[in-house]
Amino acid sequence: MGEKLKIKISIADRVYPLTVEPEQEEGLRKAAKTIDVLIKQFEQNYAVRDKQDVLAMCALQFASKVEQEGIDTNKTSEEMEERLKNLDAMLSKHLG
């Protein structure tokens, strides 16, 4: 584990000092940039001026994406499991 970096991340016109592992820096900077882009979109599209409301909307969007990916992954896993069971049954029928 290397030396930690002291960085400053800006989100919604506020600066947050952080101490992070070097391999985390790029991801954090990209995430902050993505949040700022979303903030601008919400402010333009919904005429929301309260930063707390906009940040709550950003948090909801990110959280729903994570939850939906989990649901989609679970569905895919279930479908794959079902296909593998069917394949196993066909192989057992032909080989046995």
Side-chain angles (χ1 to χ4, degrees), residues 17-63:
L18 300 171
T19 303
V20 301
E21 298 293 334
E23 59 272 9
Q24 293 177 305
E25 182 182 12
E26 183 180 1
L28 286 167
R29 292 195 187 282
K30 283 183 177 182
K33 191 176 281 191
T34 301
I35 291 168
D36 278 336
V37 167
L38 269 177
I39 287 170
K40 286 184 177 86
Q41 288 176 354
F42 282 130
E43 287 176 339
Q44 290 171 354
N45 295 336
Y46 299 105
V48 179
R49 295 287 173 242
D50 184 358
K51 290 288 186 196
Q52 184 172 346
D53 289 341
V54 175
L55 287 169
M57 292 166 72
C58 287
L60 178 61
Q61 183 163 342
F62 281 118

Side-chain angles (χ1 to χ4, degrees), residues 2-15:
E3 293 251 343
K4 293 199 176 206
L5 297 176
K6 291 182 187 252
I7 64 172
K8 292 181 181 177
I9 298 289
S10 177
I11 300 173
D13 301 323
R14 287 183 119 171
V15 176

